[in-house]
Amino acid sequence: MLLAVAVIASAGLLYWQVQNITLIVAFLALVLSLTGVAFFLRPQNADTDKDHADPEDWAVTRMVADQSAIGLAITDRAGRLVCANELFTKWFNGAAVPPELPLQAGGNELLATAGRTAWRDGRGYAEGLKRGVAEYSAKVVRAGQGDEYLLWQMIPQVQADLLDDMISLVSGGGGRAFSEVGILASVIGGEGRIRASNQAFALRATGRVDANISGRNFINFLRSDDKGTIFFEREGRHGTPVRLFHVPLDREKEKGPALILLIDDDGGMVERGKALEQVESMLSLLPLGLALTDRDGRFLFLNEAFAKTAGIGEKEQPLYPGDLMIRDDKSAVADAVRRYASGPPMAGDLAVRLRNGGEEPVALGIAGVRGLGEAAVLLSIRDNSEESKLKSQVAQATKMQAVGQLAGGVAHDFNNILTAIIGHCDLMLLRHAPGDSDYDDIQQVKNNSNRAAGLTRQLLAFSRQQTLRPQVLQLPDVSNLLKRLLDETIELEVRHGRNLGLVRADPGQLEQVIINLGVNARDAMPNGGKISISTQAVVASDVRALKSDILPIGDYTALFFTDTGNGIPPHVIGKIFEPFFTTKAVGKGTGLGLSTVYGIIKQSGGYIFADSKSGEGTTFSIYFPVHRPTAEDVARATLNSPPVKATAKKELWGTGHILLVEDEDMVRAVAERALTRQGYTVVTASEGEEALGLLAEQADSEQQFDMIVSDVVMPNMDGPTMAKHVRKNYPDLPILFMSGYAEEQLRKSIDLDKVNFLPKPFSVAQIAEAVGETLAEHAKQS
């Protein structure tokens, strides 16, 4: 309003001075224009800013994370700490950045390996991470909308977090429950100072319910007479005596942290049965698995946590602790209970296996107690199923990683051998015509070599080092391809969902996935059945509802493959993706089908899960992240993979001066002969430094090298390092790399232009064709 008044006043004064209406209109137009520009360039309103807050509000994230009972930290791809919750900073002395935490005994190396695994696979694990007396397991998850963060979850073991649990229990609802039944509770550290206490203890010790006595010496609140009767110091000699129970929280330390429980003793006149009832009511409130036995080892009491952990049914009433153990551990438990019941009060641990607890041993704590009538031994047991599960996952992930590295290494070495065999077969076939006595034998050797090459490709697929040629596409319909593999007794049902997102994958390898699953399903239904294949769009909210620990939140295109076959037994399903594992008869399967499927899916950025029940069939669920396409991607994407078109036979003859670099003599000999026969002039080198020397020698000669054909992995100087030196002096020289490694992997490590790749093993025709195409591309660009 004030602005409008000012403008009108200014216009009036201007008219009074110049007496020209046209000038006044121009003035008003200029003011309105400037006002409009100022409006559009104005800073955003504060209220609007509140409605559009930065989505990466890490203060809110930390506030939520502080509610967790485990240590949490988030790092970005640069290794910087984004945020961490209070437990994490408490356990690791401030804002330490994982994996560089104050750990001992190689813990940082284990944590770093878990981090690298998480970046690659989406999830990594580490266990046995020690810091002082504390021990942690770690779970690392790749997270964020673009998978640009790592979430580090530090999970404490029982001996590390039991003290904190007891502090939370006594100072919270558990302490109030103790107070209501007349139990005084306090938690002390190893130095004897109070860490927490309930209201009943504070009232008896100080006379005030709200007194803050944390940090004060526990023993200063008590005294004892000549007979050993314990009183509160504040109440004097005429106070009510108390009976004290000392529950150690760290059995490895003689003077470690402990939970102290006290009940009124009425000068020693309290009935022991009543004292036992009070103790039992107290034990029933604790979240730990606890039980009491008499001197003969018979159960007097066990709480709900003990029964659940030990696998005791609702109507089951075991007489002895040994009844809960496997046969081999029964006598050891019985002897230990009798020893602790009759000797001096002490505590210890036994590693035992529960009858209903699987193969993993559990820690059974045993402590002698006195002054509770028939009760003589206190037993404790903890549920370590999560710990066992984590150990199993770590062991499985480590095994799969080791097997993958071994399989990849074997495949690469074997590819060199196959390259030589296939190449020599091709050279021999050039000297023999069909019908010759040796022609069929040579052809048979080549065919079997190609079969072996197929096995190496499967090994590379499992180890995620296979050469893929990804395209942006929709999941292909391979029902026609499957029908040719299935018997007439097997019904095939295919259903495609709507609004499927595009994925980035190799269409040929996706077909291989469906074929391998189809063959397995067919073999699982010898008497016929039904195979159902369906596709479905899965949005982030659907993934969140699944509550999967493995599948990151995001949008996916899912493929579900279900059969009605025999199913997979529980003890087998965890091994089905391992290479060479098969349940088929000898000679009827290599054990590489599902491991190949696993490798292709993982290398394509996807996830695969298997669900099965014996006799009810199996479902494989495959999730591919939705690819956010460009306009060009959308134009090229099709509902079905395009059929392979027949191409005219390419001319393999050529001319040119080629430098061939290969450390394997047999491969170098085959490649040299193959290219020489096609008209090329070939000079060979066995490693990178020798090749650089040959390049320097020909710099002053008339005949220059037209291209380099090189292996990737070589001793002394590898192919990529050599190529970088070459490009300094010959920036336009084309290079063709021969390798069994995945092309995508190589392109990430070789940041060079004008570089082509030829996968091993290759035939004589394939290397000649690759050299010809590389030279042709170079000629077009020149």
Side-chain angles (χ1 to χ4, degrees):
M1 179 63 76
L2 292 176
L3 179 62
V5 172
V7 170
I8 294 171
S10 300
L13 288 173
L14 185 62
Y15 180 78
W16 181 69
Q17 290 287 334
V18 300
Q19 298 293 318
N20 189 328
I21 192 63
T22 303
L23 185 61
I24 298 303
V25 172
F27 170 77
L28 292 173
L30 177 62
V31 171
L32 289 174
S33 299
L34 292 175
T35 303
V37 171
F39 177 81
F40 286 107
L41 294 180
R42 76 192 190 283
Q44 295 296 318
N45 185 277
D47 294 336
T48 305
D49 286 346
K50 292 178 182 178
D51 294 336
H52 297 83
D54 186 355
E56 295 184 354
D57 191 343
W58 295 110
V60 175
T61 303
R62 175 166 180 169
M63 186 183 301
V64 175
D66 283 339
Q67 310 306 312
S68 175
I70 63 177
L72 298 174
I74 299 175
T75 59
D76 60 15
R77 282 201 174 269
R80 296 170 298 198
L81 183 68
V82 176
C83 72
N85 68 352
E86 289 184 3
L87 277 182
F88 188 90
T89 56
K90 172 185 174 183
W91 291 340
F92 302 109
N93 290 346
V97 182
E100 298 301 324
L101 301 180
L103 301 173
Q104 62 196 50
N108 286 335
E109 289 78 3
L110 294 174
L111 202 56
T113 301
R116 289 191 296 269
T117 304
W119 280 126
R120 188 188 67 226
D121 300 341
R123 189 168 299 272
Y125 303 95
E127 63 175 0
L129 308 176
K130 295 182 179 180
R131 181 170 187 265
V133 297
E135 183 175 340
Y136 304 89
S137 295
K139 183 177 178 183
V140 191
V141 182
R142 193 175 64 222
Q145 193 168 14
D147 286 343
E148 68 271 28
Y149 299 105
L150 282 185
L151 173 62
W152 305 79
Q153 305 173 54
M154 305 301 293
I155 306 166
Q157 303 301 298
V158 169
Q159 62 265 33
D161 68 349
L162 190 54
L163 176 60
D164 288 338
D165 284 349
M166 288 298 102
I167 291 174
S168 299
L169 176 73
V170 170
S171 59
R176 289 191 294 273
F178 286 161
S179 297
E180 291 174 359
V181 296
I183 298 174
L184 318 181
S186 181
V187 179
I188 63 171
E191 74 288 351
R193 296 188 180 277
I194 296 175
R195 300 291 184 88
S197 59
N198 67 349
Q199 295 175 336
F201 183 90
L203 179 63
R204 293 285 296 276
T206 67
R208 292 175 51 195
V209 174
D210 58 348
N212 183 10
I213 57 176
S214 295
R216 298 174 65 176
N217 200 318
F218 174 82
I219 198 64
N220 290 342
F221 292 104
L222 302 174
R223 69 175 183 84
S224 62
D225 59 16
D226 297 339
K227 299 179 181 179
T229 305
I230 301 173
F231 301 87
F232 273 95
E233 178 69 30
R234 188 187 69 85
E235 297 176 349
R237 293 186 177 183
H238 301 292
T240 303
V242 292
R243 189 182 300 274
L244 185 148
F245 302 94
H246 180 275
V247 182
L249 301 180
D250 187 350
R251 295 189 181 93
E252 295 181 0
K253 288 186 176 181
E254 184 178 351
K255 294 184 178 180
L259 170 66
I260 306 295
L261 303 170
L262 303 102
I263 59 175
D264 288 344
D265 199 5
D266 291 342
M269 300 303 294
V270 168
E271 296 180 6
R272 296 188 181 273
K274 183 178 179 181
L276 182 58
E277 289 178 7
Q278 289 180 304
V279 171
E280 289 178 357
S281 64
M282 170 196 68
L283 297 182
S284 65
L285 296 172
L286 291 173
L288 308 173
L290 297 168
L292 289 170
T293 71
D294 61 16
R295 295 183 183 278
D296 295 327
R298 286 187 294 266
F299 275 121
L300 295 174
F301 166 83
L302 51 89
N303 65 5
E304 185 176 346
F306 190 97
K308 180 180 178 182
T309 305
I312 301 173
E314 292 184 5
K315 297 182 179 179
E316 188 178 357
Q317 294 181 343
L319 290 177
Y320 297 95
D323 297 339
L324 307 176
M325 314 302 166
I326 64 171
R327 180 180 300 177
D328 294 342
D329 292 341
K330 283 187 175 183
S331 59
V333 172
D335 291 343
V337 170
R338 283 194 292 269
R339 186 170 66 254
Y340 281 87
S342 57
M346 57 182 182
D349 278 330
L350 270 183
V352 296
R353 285 171 292 174
L354 296 171
R355 184 188 61 194
N356 299 324
E359 295 297 322
E360 288 293 328
V362 298
L364 179 69
I366 307 177
V369 294
R370 301 295 179 264
L372 290 179
E374 296 181 2
V377 175
L378 174 68
L379 300 176
S380 65
I381 193 171
R382 65 183 177 91
D383 183 2
N384 63 347
S385 58
E386 286 299 321
E387 182 182 347
S388 299
K389 181 180 178 181
L390 185 60
K391 285 182 179 180
S392 176
Q393 289 174 333
V394 171
Q396 180 69 6
T398 304
K399 180 174 68 174
M400 294 291 276
Q401 182 181 6
V403 172
Q405 291 174 345
L406 175 63
V410 170
H412 294 146
D413 291 340
F414 201 49
N415 272 337
N416 283 330
I417 300 172
L418 291 174
T419 299
I421 295 173
I422 293 172
H424 282 294
C425 286
D426 286 339
L427 293 172
M428 293 173 67
L429 288 173
L430 293 174
R431 301 194 301 270
H432 294 76
D436 289 353
S437 58
D438 294 333
Y439 184 88
D440 290 340
D441 293 336
I442 298 170
Q443 189 65 51
Q444 189 66 32
V445 172
K446 183 179 178 180
N447 291 341
N448 286 316
S449 299
N450 286 328
R451 285 186 60 194
L455 290 177
T456 61
R457 281 193 295 273
Q458 289 180 307
L459 286 172
L460 287 171
F462 165 73
S463 58
R464 302 173 215 170
Q465 299 171 14
Q466 188 182 25
T467 298
L468 299 182
R469 300 192 181 278
Q471 301 175 17
V472 178
L473 43 75
Q474 288 193 347
L475 293 182
D477 184 355
V478 292
S479 55
N480 292 331
L481 192 63
L482 270 181
K483 287 178 181 177
R484 294 197 294 268
L485 298 172
L486 304 178
D487 301 330
E488 295 179 355
T489 58
I490 297 177
E491 177 187 354
L492 177 63
E493 179 187 61
V494 179
R495 291 180 287 108
H496 290 292
R498 296 182 178 182
N499 303 320
L500 298 180
L502 298 177
V503 300
R504 189 172 185 272
D506 186 327
Q509 295 302 320
L510 286 184
E511 291 182 358
Q512 186 66 43
V513 167
I514 301 298
I515 289 172
N516 285 1
L517 293 177
V519 169
N520 280 354
R522 179 197 64 189
D523 295 343
M525 298 183 291
N527 300 320
K530 181 179 180 180
I531 293 177
S532 300
I533 302 176
S534 63
T535 56
Q536 178 183 333
V538 180
V539 298
S541 58
D542 297 330
V543 178
R544 196 174 288 107
L546 292 175
K547 297 181 180 179
S548 171
D549 291 335
I550 298 175
L551 196 63
I553 304 299
D555 295 335
Y556 295 88
T557 295
L559 184 147
F560 303 101
F561 193 103
T562 303
D563 66 64
T564 59
N566 298 326
I568 305 173
H571 68 280
V572 171
I573 198 165
K575 304 176 182 179
I576 59 175
F577 294 122
E578 296 179 12
F580 305 113
F581 177 81
T582 179
T583 57
K584 297 179 182 178
V586 177
K588 291 190 177 182
T590 62
L592 287 173
L594 286 178
S595 66
T596 301
V597 168
Y598 176 84
I600 293 172
I601 298 301
K602 297 301 289 184
Q603 194 172 349
S604 301
Y607 300 85
I608 181 169
F609 305 92
D611 296 302
S612 181
K613 291 184 179 180
S614 296
E616 297 183 15
T618 303
T619 297
F620 287 93
S621 305
I622 303 172
Y623 296 85
F624 290 100
V626 171
H627 179 75
R628 303 302 176 189
T630 62
E632 183 181 0
D633 291 335
V634 174
R636 289 188 300 182
T638 56
L639 284 174
N640 300 319
S641 298
V644 179
K645 297 180 179 179
T647 56
K649 186 176 181 180
K650 296 184 179 180
E651 180 60 53
L652 302 180
W653 184 265
T655 58
H657 194 204
I658 297 175
L659 176 59
L660 174 65
V661 191
E662 169 62 63
D663 63 308
E664 288 284 348
D665 296 339
M666 52 187 176
V667 177
R668 186 173 65 250
V670 167
E672 180 184 7
R673 288 181 60 187
L675 294 175
T676 301
R677 288 184 64 91
Q678 303 304 326
Y680 297 99
T681 302
V682 182
V683 177
T684 63
S686 59
E687 46 90 18
E689 292 182 352
E690 183 182 352
L692 293 178
L694 292 173
L695 274 173
E697 291 176 6
Q698 62 89 49
D700 300 327
S701 64
E702 295 181 359
Q703 191 174 18
Q704 303 283 323
F705 286 115
D706 296 305
M707 73 174 292
I708 297 176
V709 179
S710 174
D711 191 17
V712 174
V713 180
M714 296 182 292
N716 299 328
M717 180 182 288
D718 60 15
T721 304
M722 178 202 69
K724 290 178 181 177
H725 287 289
V726 169
R727 283 295 161 81
K728 293 179 181 178
N729 298 321
Y730 307 95
D732 298 325
L733 186 63
I735 299 175
L736 174 66
F737 279 117
M738 308 175 293
S739 178
Y741 285 92
E743 181 175 329
E744 297 78 19
Q745 223 175 357
L746 292 174
R747 287 200 181 277
K748 291 178 182 178
S749 60
I750 304 174
D751 187 18
L752 296 171
D753 297 328
K754 299 179 183 178
V755 171
N756 289 346
F757 296 89
L758 174 65
K760 294 180 180 179
F762 51 78
S763 64
V764 168
Q766 286 172 331
I767 188 173
E769 182 181 325
V771 169
E773 289 179 351
T774 304
L775 289 173
E777 289 178 10
H778 177 65
K780 288 180 181 179
Q781 296 171 358
S782 300

